Amino acid sequence: MESLVLGGDLGGTSTRILVVGTDGREHGLSTGDGGNPISRRAGAAAALGDALRRALAGVDPGQVQASVIGVAGWSALRTPVVAAQFAEVWADAGLTCDPGYRSDLEVAFAAGTPEPDGTVLVAGTGATAGAVTGHRLTRTADGHGWLLGDDGSGFWLGREAVRAALRSLDAGEPQGRLAGSVLAALDAAGTADRVPGAPSRSGVDRVIQAVYSHPPVQLAALAPLVSAAYHDGDPQARSIVERAAAALLATVGRVREEGQGTPIVLAGRLTRDTPVGATLRTLLSARFSGPILPARTGVGGAAWLALAALDPALATPATHSRLCR
């Protein structure tokens, strides 16, 4: 009977499960709802259970001999209630091996390179960096959440965009590209005072009401407005992008020495084809040596780590290329 391994990637927006053979060949794949046990505590375990059932639909669960599952918010699994919920869905799926829950930073790093050591930065709604040694996370920086940190993240961009719009309203200035798009998105457009130099309190109040009537993390939805305004040459957007990239660079600098030549893996939507990502890569190249690599599919990185857990000889560059393409 062929041995199989399971890789998982549980994020805030989706849960992905991949089952592969020892040669890296796919035997099952599924995508479901978000499985972050912090941000989606009520439904995280159910999302994992559903994804497991669909990925294992044509597979004998007894064949799965090793597993690695990257979890955003994995510290919540230390909570007894949450741990019990996850253990129940794991058992219900017929799996007997250890789930191998690990930080999403480790999985993201493995999704970018087969090298054992280096640095990883994840910048999406939140932002955090980590040092990796022997495929294990040894040190982290930021990832402190919207209230205390996540500098340069999608949330940070959205908050800075709203603050820029509020400053324009306070000063009675004409609305620029960024401020105008933010006010429109918050259904507060057309509220600026028509008298030059006289700030519109009604506009400010409507912006504040719109923001405070939703969970703070939803400010991340405004991040694309910064990118769009940046491409249109808006000076406020340019300032925000430059400050975001500088903040992310500083986060990386807290876990990486400047003389290191190991890879730097970038993960998360902000590190991709965005103004922040482009600016960040320029800053990283100027300050650090070592290749700067994009993280590929996180679930592929998890499956590759699961192969290594089963037998280190199986985790070859060839299987990495197959799983993390």
Side-chain angles (χ1 to χ4, degrees):
M1 183 172 65
E2 180 184 9
S3 293
L4 304 176
V5 302
L6 183 148
D9 185 16
L10 277 63
T13 58
S14 68
T15 293
R16 301 191 72 201
I17 299 294
L18 174 64
V19 180
V20 302
T22 54
D23 59 355
R25 184 169 58 89
E26 180 183 313
H27 286 254
L29 175 66
S30 68
T31 301
D33 294 335
N36 183 328
I38 291 180
S39 65
R40 304 178 71 96
R41 181 167 181 172
L48 172 61
D50 179 63
L52 288 172
R53 283 190 294 274
R54 289 186 285 113
L56 295 167
V59 173
D60 176 4
Q63 292 178 259
V64 178
Q65 300 297 304
S67 169
V68 168
I69 300 179
V71 185
W74 75 295
S75 61
L77 295 176
R78 300 191 186 102
T79 304
V81 172
V82 177
Q85 293 172 342
F86 273 67
E88 182 178 357
V89 299
W90 189 257
D92 287 346
L95 294 160
T96 57
C97 65
D98 187 270
Y101 295 122
R102 292 168 68 165
S103 166
D104 59 329
L105 287 174
E106 293 178 357
V107 166
F109 183 77
T113 178
E115 294 296 318
D117 308 327
T119 307
V120 59
L121 171 72
V122 178
T125 299
T128 183
V132 177
T133 303
H135 300 296
R136 286 289 187 173
L137 192 64
T138 56
R139 188 178 173 190
T140 63
D142 208 343
H144 301 150
W146 63 268
L147 182 61
L148 301 175
D150 287 350
D151 295 336
S153 67
F155 166 82
W156 187 96
L157 286 171
R159 184 191 63 190
E160 291 303 301
V162 174
R163 294 179 69 186
L166 286 172
R167 284 194 293 269
S168 294
L169 289 174
D170 283 344
E173 298 171 346
Q175 295 171 13
R177 171 69 168 81
L178 178 60
S181 63
V182 168
L183 295 178
L186 298 176
D187 195 25
T191 60
D193 202 307
R194 299 294 183 182
V195 180
S200 170
R201 191 66 228 174
S202 62
V204 170
D205 290 343
R206 288 183 63 181
V207 170
I208 292 173
Q209 182 179 10
V211 169
Y212 280 91
S213 63
H214 298 287
V217 73
Q218 288 191 16
L219 283 174
L222 300 177
L225 301 181
V226 178
S227 295
Y230 177 93
H231 288 305
D232 285 346
D234 184 277
Q236 289 180 321
R238 181 173 295 279
S239 172
I240 292 171
V241 165
E242 291 173 351
R243 288 187 288 118
L248 293 172
L249 176 71
T251 299
V252 172
R254 294 205 292 274
V255 296
R256 183 179 179 89
E257 300 295 332
E258 295 189 14
Q260 287 182 243
T262 54
I264 300 173
V265 173
L266 302 180
R269 59 185 173 82
L270 279 184
T271 68
R272 298 168 191 156
D273 187 21
T274 68
V276 171
T279 306
L280 173 64
R281 285 188 290 273
T282 298
L283 294 176
L284 288 170
S285 297
R287 179 171 172 182
F288 299 110
S289 57
I292 300 172
L293 306 171
R296 305 297 181 180
T297 170
V299 73
W304 189 77
L305 289 174
L307 285 174
L310 181 64
D311 181 353
L314 298 174
T316 64
T319 53
H320 186 274
S321 295
R322 171 175 285 185
L323 292 169
C324 303
R325 54 185 184 272

